[in-house]
Amino acid sequence: MAKEMVAMLLAGGQGSRLYALTQKLAKPAVPFGGKYRIIDFPLSNCVNSGIDTVGVLTQYQPIVLNDYIGNGQPWDLDRLYGGVHVLPPYQKASGSDWFKGTANAIYQHISFIEKYDPEYVIILSGDQICKQDYSDFLRFHKEKGAEFSVAVMEVPWDDASRFGLMVTDENDKITEFQEKPKNPKSNLASMGIYIFNWDILRKYLIEDEADPNSENDFGNNIIPNLLRDGRKMYAYHFDGYWKDVGTIGSLWEANMEVLDPENSGIDLFDENWKIYSRNSGMTGHRIAPSAVVENSMITDGCDVKGTVKHSILFAGVTVEEGAVVEDAVVMGGTVVKAGAVVKHCIIAENVEVGAGAVVGEIPAEGGIGDVAHVGAGVKIGANAKIGPKAMVYEDVKEGEEQC
């Protein structure tokens, strides 16, 4: 039985601009919002949109991501026909080929898509925070009689040159594509979310793979080739919450926006569009009599005896008495010892912040400013000081300072 639409989720990103946070972790597996990982968002969007067949293309540091996805049960994707499938680079008798680009990643798994004989394929990114109804996107694609559609958002003109831009006519038909131009003709930024008619996508993937000069990339090759051939291409305007969390600053900011759902546009408490995740299996959190907690998200298994303000604590975080956590993202299993101060920073999983240590500082001028971050499993010694610009990959000795 053919599927109407199959999703292919590009989740192999290295996330190099997240520095210490992705040293041992694929970007889509980075924790977000207290109990989630980034990949929970596109997977949940698929289920909420009625898509029950998802191929997840992994490459860089895939172990945690693969274990997390498992059989897909948390997202109701444990299906006998369809469901979620982790797809590494294709294994051949002579070895394996790494994905050479986004288009090549899909090309290597043409046989997976053919198994379900879909009419449409949606290409998704595994490294964005976005709540989007893909069924509405598909409705648009059908109504326009499109062969290719791309989700776009209006961005400030001053920022437009940072994006791939779609130039359209009054009917949303794409007439030109600009990849990070110096002189933008449009402010419609591509979200990197595409719907193709499967026969069209298959044809262009095969042609692209046969071109020795191609970068095998959707933005640099496939989309320009579609335009060259006069294909029916349309831009779908999306006006919901979307954020590329590819930098430390944007990841910190998106987490802080979770604490202000009325104004930020991201509401994780929306019962009509749930974001699903794997259960931590931990007990409820504990707030001791000595604790002070203000405007924060405290997740399963946390033990809070100190002060937590405007922060997100992931599962199993301990904040000892006298410790202060403010404007911070503290990921699972981390321990903040007595008297430590953690402010305006991101702390990865299973970190130990020693007694009296200081990590980060709130910028005097307000705004995002510099956001310190500490990699997974790092031990910060007692009374150490980690400055607001610091990127900490390795253990820090007692009393040591890092700027």
Side-chain angles (χ1 to χ4, degrees):
M1 182 176 65
K3 299 283 186 180
E4 182 180 30
M5 186 158 72
V6 165
M8 299 295 280
L9 177 53
L10 296 167
Q14 184 173 350
S16 58
R17 292 179 299 160
L18 291 178
Y19 304 106
L21 298 183
T22 49
Q23 188 179 24
K24 301 176 182 178
L25 194 66
K27 184 177 172 183
V30 170
F32 177 85
K35 63 175 295 183
Y36 308 98
R37 294 182 186 268
I38 293 172
I39 199 168
D40 286 328
F41 287 81
L43 288 177
S44 298
N45 288 340
C46 283
V47 172
N48 292 332
S49 302
I51 300 171
D52 65 4
T53 304
V54 185
V56 180
L57 288 77
T58 63
Q59 180 163 280
Y60 173 80
Q61 295 284 9
I63 294 176
V64 172
L65 185 61
N66 294 356
D67 288 346
Y68 183 73
I69 293 171
N71 68 353
Q73 186 274 331
W75 307 272
D76 192 29
L77 288 171
D78 51 338
R79 307 295 179 94
L80 289 176
Y81 183 65
V84 64
H85 298 261
V86 175
L87 304 173
Y90 185 68
Q91 298 289 319
K92 300 185 296 186
S94 58
S96 64
D97 286 332
W98 292 114
F99 297 142
K100 291 177 284 186
T102 52
N104 174 257
I106 305 297
Y107 170 84
Q108 287 197 32
H109 293 288
I110 283 178
S111 60
F112 170 81
I113 301 173
E114 286 180 331
K115 176 181 176 182
Y116 299 101
D117 189 27
E119 190 170 353
Y120 308 101
V121 174
I122 185 167
I123 311 294
L124 304 172
S125 171
D127 54 11
Q128 302 170 351
I129 303 299
C130 177
K131 295 175 71 176
Q132 182 176 3
D133 185 352
Y134 303 142
S135 64
D136 188 66
F137 188 10
L138 179 59
R139 175 200 55 76
F140 169 89
H141 182 85
K142 291 177 178 178
E143 287 179 354
K144 292 294 186 180
E147 295 172 310
F148 164 85
S149 296
V150 55
V152 298
M153 285 193 74
E154 290 190 13
V155 297
W157 279 95
D158 289 344
D159 295 335
S161 60
R162 296 173 41 230
F163 297 91
L165 303 172
M166 300 295 165
V167 182
T168 64
D169 64 15
E170 64 277 7
N171 295 315
D172 298 319
K173 187 174 183 179
I174 298 169
T175 59
E176 188 177 344
F177 172 65
Q178 295 182 296
E179 180 66 20
K180 299 180 180 178
K182 290 184 179 179
N183 300 303
K185 299 179 182 179
S186 166
N187 68 335
L188 296 179
S190 168
M191 296 168 60
I193 300 174
Y194 316 121
I195 291 180
F196 285 88
N197 293 2
W198 169 228
D199 58 340
I200 297 297
L201 176 58
R202 187 180 186 279
K203 166 184 166 61
Y204 279 84
L205 288 176
I206 292 172
E207 290 179 357
D208 180 70
E209 191 66 22
D211 180 359
N213 298 316
S214 176
E215 298 174 47
N216 306 122
D217 182 77
F218 279 104
N220 291 329
N221 305 108
I222 300 293
I223 294 175
N225 290 345
L226 291 166
L227 271 169
R228 174 200 66 197
D229 294 345
R231 292 293 180 178
K232 299 173 184 176
M233 306 170 65
Y234 287 86
Y236 169 77
H237 293 252
F238 176 69
D239 60 1
Y241 185 89
W242 173 72
K243 195 150 200 164
D244 183 337
V245 288
T247 65
I248 294 295
S250 63
L251 179 62
W252 177 87
E253 186 177 41
N255 273 279
M256 294 298 101
E257 287 172 343
V258 167
L259 299 173
D260 187 20
E262 291 82 7
N263 300 304
S264 67
I266 179 168
D267 183 3
L268 298 183
F269 303 94
D270 182 1
E271 289 294 319
N272 296 317
W273 198 270
K274 290 183 179 180
I275 302 299
Y276 301 95
S277 67
R278 188 167 291 283
N279 194 317
S280 70
M282 293 184 178
T283 62
H285 56 262
R286 176 176 179 268
I287 310 296
S290 59
V292 175
V293 178
E294 297 178 3
N295 190 24
S296 297
M297 184 174 288
I298 313 295
T299 318
D300 301 346
C302 289
D303 186 3
V304 180
K305 297 183 175 71
T307 297
V308 180
K309 296 182 179 180
H310 196 247
S311 295
I312 295 179
L313 306 188
F314 288 68
V317 168
T318 297
V319 180
E320 294 187 354
E321 191 166 352
V324 175
V325 176
E326 185 173 356
D327 278 3
V329 179
V330 184
M331 296 179 183
T334 288
V335 177
V336 183
K337 295 281 190 177
V341 176
V342 172
K343 293 187 176 184
H344 201 76
C345 61
I346 300 177
I347 308 292
E349 296 170 289
N350 302 312
V351 169
E352 181 180 299
V353 181
V358 175
V359 181
E361 67 180 51
I362 297 175
E365 70 279 5
I368 294 180
D370 294 311
V371 180
H373 71 283
V374 179
V378 168
K379 291 187 176 181
I380 297 174
N383 300 310
K385 185 170 183 180
I386 307 301
K389 297 181 180 181
M391 298 180 289
V392 182
Y393 293 83
E394 298 177 346
D395 292 353
V396 179
K397 295 178 181 179
E398 181 176 347
E400 184 179 338
E401 292 191 15
Q402 289 195 15
C403 298

